[in-house]
Amino acid sequence: MRPTARTEVHDPDGTRYGIPTYQWRAAPDGLATRRQLRAAGLRPGGQEPAAQVMRLRRRGRAPLVGHLYAIERAKPVRPMTPGRWRAIEAALLARRTCPDCGRVADYCIPTSLGMCVPCAYPTVTAPSEGERL
Ligand SMILES: [Zn+2]
């Protein structure tokens, strides 16, 4: 049966289509298309579509259907390897390295400052190691 009215593509219980169906762009949170998962570095991971979005087209043309997958059941696109961990650690280290003085802070450099706190506020001197009692 071909849906003829806009409301007919709203079937959150799946009584008409077998799986929960929503209007295009009206899917609830927690669901994503394969393409959206991929953008987040995820893949469906073997799960069946949990729902679908449907957009009607002009008369006589089949509706556009996009399958939606549960994000919480998605898996990373690639398993973590030592190389990938190193890449992530390097990226995190870069975020903690001050571009001004080159010191590695124990926090991520705030993007609002663009440098470490001592560089951003040179008049506020933190106690150095020797001053600590
Ligand atoms: Zn600095």
Side-chain angles (χ1 to χ4, degrees):
M1 187 188 298
R2 176 160 294 159
T4 53
R6 188 171 179 78
T7 53
E8 288 187 52
V9 298
H10 185 69
D11 178 25
D13 299 323
T15 48
R16 178 188 283 268
Y17 299 106
I19 63 172
T21 301
Y22 303 93
Q23 286 178 39
W24 207 260
R25 300 187 198 283
D29 289 345
L31 298 172
T33 63
R34 185 180 290 270
R35 196 188 182 106
Q36 289 166 335
L37 288 178
R38 191 67 180 79
L42 300 169
R43 61 188 169 86
Q47 65 174 293
E48 294 294 313
Q52 62 184 359
V53 285
M54 188 176 288
R55 182 167 65 181
L56 300 180
R57 297 197 292 177
R58 270 174 287 165
R59 196 200 308 265
R61 302 184 68 189
L64 286 176
V65 172
H67 290 132
L68 298 173
Y69 300 89
I71 294 171
E72 65 178 9
R73 279 187 278 145
K75 295 192 169 67
V77 169
R78 288 169 294 168
M80 292 305 291
T81 62
R84 289 196 76 200
W85 281 120
R86 275 197 299 275
I88 288 171
E89 280 163 10
L92 290 175
L93 182 67
R95 287 175 57 195
R96 290 194 285 117
T97 304
C98 175
D100 213 53
C101 66
R103 275 182 292 198
V104 178
D106 55 5
Y107 50 86
C108 284
I109 302 296
T111 52
S112 58
L113 298 179
M115 59 187 76
C116 71
V117 172
C119 285
Y121 304 102
T123 53
V124 183
T125 49
S128 67
E129 283 297 319
E131 288 169 330
R132 225 166 265 166
L133 298 174

